[in-house]
Amino acid sequence: AGKWGGLKDSEEIRREKIFARMRSICRVIRTCFFIAMVIAATSWFFLLISAAAERQALGEMLPNVVVYISAYGILVVLVLWNLTLIFQEVVKGRPPFSEIQADRLRAIAIVSIAYVVLELLISFGFAFEPDPALGFGVAVNNGVDVPTLNLNIGMLVFSAIMYSLSAIFRYAALLQQLSDETV
């Protein structure tokens, strides 16, 4: 109710329109993350099937390939699922700065670090030796025939950003709780 009985004042109407627009934008973003997650999960599934179908060509590398593909797929799906849930909270009209959201951002940071470690471990132990029977050569690790160390700086920075955001969200949730208790 506004200043004159049952009428809403223009500021309240403007605020409601802004909230509705933001929820609509967050709904679109949530849907995009969900679609990306479904596409990633489907691609991951077909990649696993393809690896299993190529078991003769992969030979003794098959278990390593399957473990890498499985771990990679799980990590990507977890990140996309958490991002979907973050925007779902806003769509439902819940406060974005909450302990739950901070926990989700921290989970994304941890999963991202796990991905960096996975890539680091896989790259260190991987030196591709082409099979001469195939009749062609492939250059992996920039043509270097010894294992190299691959550190994914981009994902490392992404993880740091997500962890920092989780701290900010947690702090904002605590400030909101303090403000609610004061009022």
Side-chain angles (χ1 to χ4, degrees):
K3 297 176 184 177
W4 292 279
L7 301 175
K8 294 182 178 182
D9 62 3
S10 63
E11 184 63 27
E12 191 175 346
I13 292 170
R14 187 182 73 76
R15 203 173 21 250
E16 284 179 11
K17 285 181 181 180
I18 291 171
F19 282 139
R21 190 172 351 135
M22 293 311 300
R23 279 194 299 276
S24 178
I25 290 168
C26 287
R27 187 176 293 114
V28 169
I29 294 170
R30 178 209 56 198
T31 302
C32 290
F33 278 127
F34 184 77
I35 290 169
M37 184 191 65
V38 169
I39 290 170
T42 305
S43 301
W44 168 48
F45 177 73
F46 284 117
L47 197 56
L48 274 173
I49 289 175
S50 298
E54 296 292 327
R55 71 178 139 241
Q56 239 180 354
L58 291 171
E60 64 187 46
M61 285 182 56
L62 179 63
N64 295 341
V65 169
V66 169
V67 167
Y68 176 73
I69 291 171
S70 297
Y72 174 77
I74 289 169
L75 295 174
V76 168
V77 167
L78 281 173
V79 167
L80 292 171
W81 177 249
N82 276 304
L83 287 169
T84 301
L85 291 177
I86 286 171
F87 286 95
Q88 178 66 26
E89 291 293 306
V90 178
V91 169
K92 289 182 175 180
R94 296 185 184 135
F97 295 111
S98 67
E99 295 276 336
I100 293 171
Q101 297 290 55
D103 290 343
R104 287 182 180 139
L105 289 167
R106 188 176 62 210
I108 291 170
I110 291 168
V111 169
S112 300
I113 283 289
Y115 177 76
V116 169
V117 170
L118 174 69
E119 273 196 342
L120 187 66
L121 293 174
I122 293 294
S123 72
F124 181 70
F126 178 72
F128 187 84
E129 297 176 18
D131 186 354
L134 295 176
F136 62 91
V138 178
V140 177
N141 291 340
N142 296 324
V144 177
D145 63 351
V146 294
T148 60
L149 213 49
N150 180 20
L151 182 61
N152 189 337
I153 299 295
M155 189 57 77
L156 198 58
V157 169
F158 175 75
S159 177
I161 291 170
M162 290 296 109
Y163 189 77
S164 300
L165 283 175
S166 78
I168 291 169
F169 273 54
R170 190 170 311 282
Y171 181 69
L174 291 172
L175 284 178
Q176 183 64 46
Q177 183 181 8
L178 181 64
S179 173
D180 291 347
E181 290 172 1
T182 304
V183 175

